[in-house]
Amino acid sequence: MPRNGRPSFRERRRLRREGRRPGPPSPYALLPWLLMGLGAFSNLFQGETPTPWIAGAGLLAFNSLYISVVFRGFAKEKRESPVTYVLLGSLAVVTFALAIAYGGSWLLFFPLLSLAAGTVLRHRWLVAGLLGLAVAACAVAVWRDDSASPPWTLGYGTFISGAVTSAILRLAETVTELRSTRQELARTAVERERLRFSRDLHDLLGHTLSVIVVKSEAARRLAPRDMDAALTQVADIESVGRQALTEIREAVTGYREGSLATELDRARSALTAAGIEPVVRRSGPPLAPQTEALLGWVVREAVTNVVRHSTATRCVFEVSGTGERVRLTVTDDGRGRREGPAPTPGIGGTGLKGLTERLAAAGGSLVAGPGADSGFVVTAELPVEAGGGEEGDGGGDATAPPGAGDGPDCSPTLGR
């Protein structure tokens, strides 16, 4: 939309194209069928109908009830109201009374009654009701024996009028619901993409900035006594910054893939710069890309927490598994949880809730909490061939960042 508030040429063309789409029928489309009663009106006007005042009142009542029932039949709330069924019943009574009393052109009110019934009756009893109405119309026509067409023609027209009307209206309602569903799915897709980008950007920058801060502090401490070591830390900061740019570009395009080996290498660098000894033990079979990505996010979250919140001197990463399951355990010897609200038992702080749900959707589990003696322990377990989960179950793309249940404002730390 331009700044002046007027739609662009492309937007106007799209609106015109959508305006040309056939929409659902309206109740006004059924009003012209009242012209079928012109024969009865002609008989009444020419004085060919006995008791004209009663016939005129009946004609007025029929038209009024028909219009009321048809308009109420197009609104779901009014269509299901008992008042609508009372009006439809009254219309049926007037139709039978006029047809039995006057016959001839007045028998054509049966197809009109069927049209009105087709707008109201949408359930499985519709066919039975229309069949009964058609048989009744044939019976009245045979009894009067003054119909302009054969009785079976009147019965067929009565049945087909209501059946076609009901089928068209049900099809129109289905198409409308499908269009609404498609629009809702499009909005959901846009919202999911926005949320994916915000989470990815939040978690990537949270970890990267933590590493940059740690290495900057290390460079500041080393500069007075060992300029070469300080320059090495500065070079690492430059490398981390360049890698962060690459990850952000990948996050924007949606093609970022996690790697457990890469995250472990980054963990060694970040922990070493923070003065924490990293220990990595890895064994077991090769892992699927989805499993690698999920475990890589666990390593990233754990390292961010250790660097930010612990006073650990040693952090151990142990990856082990069998042909079916793989387990990652991250253990540090820090002081454990800081002062603050207690985490959820078996899960940790709010930063891990989304990641716990994602691992659960992939058939795994995650447990975080204080160690037996001291420190903090994070244990993640997954199938070797982990799936990405189903939509709506906290799953989705396994390469997406954790925190799916926390929104874009969730903390990237473990929340000790």
Side-chain angles (χ1 to χ4, degrees):
M1 182 73 69
R3 292 183 179 180
N4 58 11
R6 299 179 59 186
S8 62
F9 172 76
R10 181 176 298 179
E11 182 69 15
R12 292 197 301 269
R13 185 173 61 180
R14 183 184 66 82
L15 292 175
R16 286 197 301 269
R17 185 169 60 251
E18 291 183 352
R20 289 195 295 267
R21 292 179 179 175
S26 69
Y28 295 98
L30 297 182
L31 296 186
W33 290 102
L34 286 173
L35 295 176
M36 294 176 62
L38 282 179
F41 179 79
S42 176
N43 293 339
L44 179 63
F45 183 76
Q46 295 176 5
E48 300 176 358
T49 304
T51 60
W53 292 107
I54 297 177
L59 183 61
L60 178 62
F62 179 90
N63 290 335
S64 302
L65 289 171
Y66 176 87
I67 295 173
S68 178
V69 170
V70 165
F71 273 83
R72 294 179 70 89
F74 277 77
K76 185 177 181 180
E77 298 79 7
K78 294 182 179 180
R79 182 172 68 240
E80 298 175 352
S81 171
V83 177
T84 303
Y85 289 95
V86 172
L87 293 176
L88 182 60
S90 302
L91 180 63
V93 171
V94 172
T95 301
F96 276 90
L98 293 176
I100 293 173
Y102 302 109
S105 299
W106 299 81
L107 294 173
L108 295 179
F109 287 157
F110 278 110
L112 291 176
L113 173 61
S114 179
L115 282 173
T119 63
V120 175
L121 303 178
R122 308 287 178 86
H123 43 71
R124 58 185 180 180
W125 298 108
L126 172 66
V127 175
L130 293 181
L131 283 175
L133 183 60
V135 171
C138 288
V140 174
V142 170
W143 181 72
R144 289 289 310 184
D145 195 23
D146 57 356
S147 175
S149 57
W152 68 267
T153 303
L154 179 64
Y156 174 77
T158 299
F159 175 81
I160 204 67
S161 298
V164 171
T165 301
S166 179
I168 291 176
L169 294 181
R170 292 181 67 177
L171 180 61
E173 289 179 352
T174 302
V175 171
T176 302
E177 291 176 359
L178 288 176
R179 286 181 180 176
S180 177
T181 302
R182 184 178 64 180
Q183 294 174 358
E184 184 63 28
L185 289 176
R187 287 193 295 268
T188 302
V190 172
E191 292 174 359
R192 286 177 58 85
E193 181 62 16
R194 289 175 177 172
L195 190 58
R196 179 200 65 79
F197 175 69
S198 63
R199 288 171 179 164
D200 226 349
L201 189 63
H202 182 274
D203 290 327
L204 291 173
L205 291 181
H207 173 80
T208 302
L209 293 177
S210 296
V211 175
I212 290 176
V213 169
V214 170
K215 288 186 173 293
S216 299
E217 293 176 349
R220 177 175 54 81
R221 291 195 304 267
L222 292 172
R225 60 179 185 273
D226 192 343
M227 184 58 66
D228 292 337
L231 291 176
T232 300
Q233 296 296 330
V234 173
D236 289 343
I237 294 173
E238 180 182 3
S239 176
V240 170
R242 293 182 182 277
Q243 183 62 35
L245 289 176
T246 302
E247 290 179 344
I248 291 174
R249 294 190 185 102
E250 292 173 346
V252 170
T253 58
Y255 290 106
R256 185 176 187 278
E257 294 185 358
S259 170
L260 180 58
T262 301
E263 295 298 339
L264 288 174
D265 290 339
R266 293 175 182 173
R268 289 191 186 96
S269 176
L271 292 173
T272 301
I276 302 172
E277 177 189 1
V279 179
V280 178
R281 306 188 186 107
R282 184 169 183 176
S283 62
L287 305 178
Q290 294 87 349
T291 306
E292 288 255 346
L294 286 171
L295 294 181
W297 278 111
V298 175
V299 170
R300 177 183 286 258
E301 293 288 322
V303 170
T304 303
N305 187 70
V306 170
V307 170
R308 283 183 174 181
H309 302 291
S310 75
T311 56
T313 59
R314 191 168 185 265
C315 185
V316 180
F317 301 87
E318 185 172 357
V319 183
S320 60
T322 62
E324 297 180 354
R325 309 281 295 182
V326 61
R327 173 179 293 183
L328 167 66
T329 304
V330 182
T331 307
D332 66 70
D333 61 353
R335 60 186 175 184
R337 179 177 171 273
R338 284 184 171 180
E339 295 298 327
T344 303
I347 295 178
T350 56
L352 276 184
K353 289 181 180 179
L355 185 57
T356 302
E357 296 172 359
R358 190 174 297 277
L359 264 65
S365 61
L366 188 143
V367 178
D373 298 326
S374 62
F376 205 75
V377 180
V378 178
T379 303
E381 188 171 337
L382 280 169
V384 173
E385 299 286 342
E390 298 292 336
E391 296 296 337
D393 295 333
D397 186 2
T399 64
D406 302 324
D409 294 331
C410 62
S411 171
T413 67
L414 297 183
R416 296 187 181 193

